[in-house]
Amino acid sequence: QKEVEQNSGPLSVPEGAIASLNCTYSDRGSQSFFWYRQYSGKSPELIMSIYSNGDKEDGRFTAQLNKASQYVSLLIRDSQPSDSATYLCAVILTNNDMRFGAGTRLTVKP
Amino acid sequence: SAVISQKPSRDICQRGTSLTIQCQVDSQVTMMFWYRQQPGQSLTLIATANQGSEATYESGFVIDKFPISRPNLTFSTLTVSNMSPEDSSIYLCSVEVAIGQGPGGYTFGSGTRLTVV
């Protein structure tokens, strides 16, 4: 089992819709979780962090964490074409190493 | 958050040669991380560089192939030695940034796109 798993996509949503990106992790002791956005040809950019069960909202972005299910998600409301990118889930393992998922490619169609 | 200047941004190299990638951070940081991102894939940690000690390499990466220097708290280099086409990839350096309540995420340099021919 991979340490961090994401659906590779591509995920395509119409402009204005909600995009839902999912991630599961294998290390039950993990406590810190992150979402990065990576535009084509660019380096990853940190957009969200979450440490506690529940929801964390930042503008149009909501991160959701369920440690019992070892599941973290990112919702993007009112999706815009500028949100088209690859979204990487990252988890800090109990040995303090950070591991990245393979990423989900999101396309928002005008 | 920290700003990282990474260079070169890209290079095309002959097999058997070496390339040194540099990262300069605008603030002092304890650890710097070197990642590789192969086409269409996610990030793989190569090594962690601490100032004043040898770098710690991940499984599958060795010092002879990827020597790292960390002469001070703001600078690090990664050398890709004796290159082969399989080394063609994007190489990224990163540092941890404080977010607030918990461990920080990472900020990344702009990356070095390496093509070995």
Side-chain angles (χ1 to χ4, degrees), chain A residues 87-102:
Chain A
Y87 289 81
L88 302 168
C89 172
V91 177
I92 295 183
L93 307 180
T94 49
N95 65 0
N96 289 322
D97 286 348
M98 182 175 289
R99 290 289 182 263
F100 289 82

Side-chain angles (χ1 to χ4, degrees), chain B residues 65-109:
Chain B
K65 175 67 176 178
F66 298 99
I68 287 171
S69 78
R70 185 80 203 276
N72 56 53
L73 290 172
T74 64
F75 187 79
S76 180
T77 68
L78 170 76
T79 299
V80 186
S81 302
N82 188 25
M83 288 184 284
S84 66
E86 292 72 34
D87 295 319
S88 297
S89 187
I90 297 172
Y91 292 84
L92 295 144
C93 61
S94 68
V95 301
E96 185 176 354
V97 292
I99 294 177
Q101 65 180 94
Y106 292 175
T107 190
F108 289 86

Side-chain angles (χ1 to χ4, degrees), chain A residues 35-56:
Chain A
W35 283 98
Y36 291 80
R37 178 176 61 201
Q38 186 173 24
Y39 292 115
S40 181
K42 301 294 185 182
S43 58
E45 171 194 12
L46 180 65
I47 56 172
M48 288 288 285
S49 63
I50 187 166
Y51 308 102
S52 304
N53 281 328
D55 295 358
K56 179 182 177 183

Side-chain angles (χ1 to χ4, degrees), chain B residues 16-93:
Chain B
T17 64
S18 298
L19 175 72
T20 296
I21 302 167
Q22 300 180 4
C23 277
Q24 177 76 51
V25 189
D26 68 346
S27 58
Q28 293 185 338
V29 293
T30 303
M31 292 190 291
M32 294 181 71
F33 306 92
W34 287 97
Y35 282 87
R36 181 173 74 184
Q37 186 173 32
Q38 295 183 305
Q41 308 217 357
S42 190
L43 300 160
T44 301
L45 181 64
I46 297 172
T48 301
N50 292 322
Q51 192 270 335
S53 63
E54 282 205 3
T56 302
Y57 289 82
E58 296 298 302
S59 176
F61 298 96
V62 295
I63 188 171
D64 289 347
K65 175 67 176 178
F66 298 99
I68 287 171
S69 78
R70 185 80 203 276
N72 56 53
L73 290 172
T74 64
F75 187 79
S76 180
T77 68
L78 170 76
T79 299
V80 186
S81 302
N82 188 25
M83 288 184 284
S84 66
E86 292 72 34
D87 295 319
S88 297
S89 187
I90 297 172
Y91 292 84
L92 295 144
C93 61

Side-chain angles (χ1 to χ4, degrees), chain B residues 1-13:
Chain B
S1 62
V3 176
I4 305 175
S5 299
Q6 182 173 346
K7 59 182 181 182
S9 59
R10 60 178 62 229
D11 208 341
I12 300 174
C13 300

Side-chain angles (χ1 to χ4, degrees), chain A residues 4-25:
Chain A
V4 183
E5 293 204 62
Q6 295 180 252
N7 289 330
S8 60
L11 174 65
S12 181
V13 301
E15 184 174 356
I18 296 175
S20 178
L21 305 160
N22 304 316
C23 173
T24 59
Y25 59 95

